[in-house]
Amino acid sequence: MTERLIEKREGAVGWLIFNNPERRNAVSLDMWEAIPSALEDFERDSNIRVVVLAGAGDKAFVSGADISQFEKQRSSEEAVKRYEEIGEAAQAKLAAFEKPLIAMIRGYCLGGGLNIANSCDLRIAADDARFGIPAAKMGLGYRASSMKKLVDTVGAPFAREIMITARQFNAAEAKAMGLVHKVVPVAELEKAVREYTDLISANAPLTMRAAKRIIREVSKKDYDAAACDAWVKECFASEDYAEGRRAFMEKRKPQFRGR
């Protein structure tokens, strides 16, 4: 791990905080490298039901990749390849993470930061948030996996506008595109996120995991229906399903255990 990526646990909620405030939480290479192991820690912890990604300070969620490292880390073909492999591994782990992920966004959410947020299941933004992908201002190529996620989220027309103009969009524009789920005043951001974590933490872990798996699978052109059926059956065969039925009949809140 690196001190620039902080793991915290609060009951059923894990917090992953990008801690590079002097550079508006720009992601350095060591931060990209640390993301998979941090997520694996949360995956192994059965007490954690939902993970929130946030930026340290009040200026940014993540303002993109740390450009100050590019001359050293992305200046040769070999260096670019290594950097891309590390970044791709982090993005792949975010995309495959089996517990709910929430991006709590205030301030700048740009470039790689937007990719990170876009890998989350829910994106809740403060009204001071600014979004954009400035790749065209630097001559950067954009990897296909990140582009596909963008197109899946906002559609090809908005993806073209984001990429070709390379401009920044405000929170209201991002909401209209479908880039974020909810926009709230800055002072209400953490409260809004905690309301979501409370809701999610009370839900059945196996059902949420199956939902994430099936949504990911049916988004493919030719999806595996048998695999989806197996994930559904796993829910119906679980102790949590029996607990959910009993709780409904007894008119009480269920106590799910993820098994």
Side-chain angles (χ1 to χ4, degrees), residues 24 28 36 72 88 102 150 164 181 187 229 237:
R24 292 180 175 174
S28 54
K72 181 178 180 181
E88 186 68 35
I102 299 176
L150 182 64
I164 293 170
H181 296 84
D229 288 344

Side-chain angles (χ1 to χ4, degrees), residues 35 39 89 172 182 207 217 226:
I35 288 171
L39 292 175
K182 189 181 185 73
T207 300
E217 184 63 28

Side-chain angles (χ1 to χ4, degrees), residues 65 70 74 80-81 83-84 88 91 111-112 115 133-147 163:
F70 281 15
R74 298 179 81 172
V80 167
K81 183 175 183 292
Y83 190 101
E84 288 296 301
E88 186 68 35
Q91 298 280 2
N115 288 336
I133 297 176
K137 294 183 177 182
M138 289 195 64
L140 293 171
Y142 218 62
R143 67 173 74 98
S145 59
S146 297
M147 194 73 82
M163 297 303 303

Side-chain angles (χ1 to χ4, degrees), residues 95-115:
F97 191 65
E98 300 234 279
K99 298 180 181 182
L101 279 173
I102 299 176
M104 184 173 86
I105 305 165
R106 70 164 303 183
Y108 293 104
C109 180
L110 306 175
L114 196 152
N115 288 336

Side-chain angles (χ1 to χ4, degrees), residues 216-228:
R216 195 159 54 232
E217 184 63 28
V218 300
S219 297
K220 300 175 183 176
K221 184 177 180 181
D222 297 307
Y223 68 86
D224 188 338
C228 294

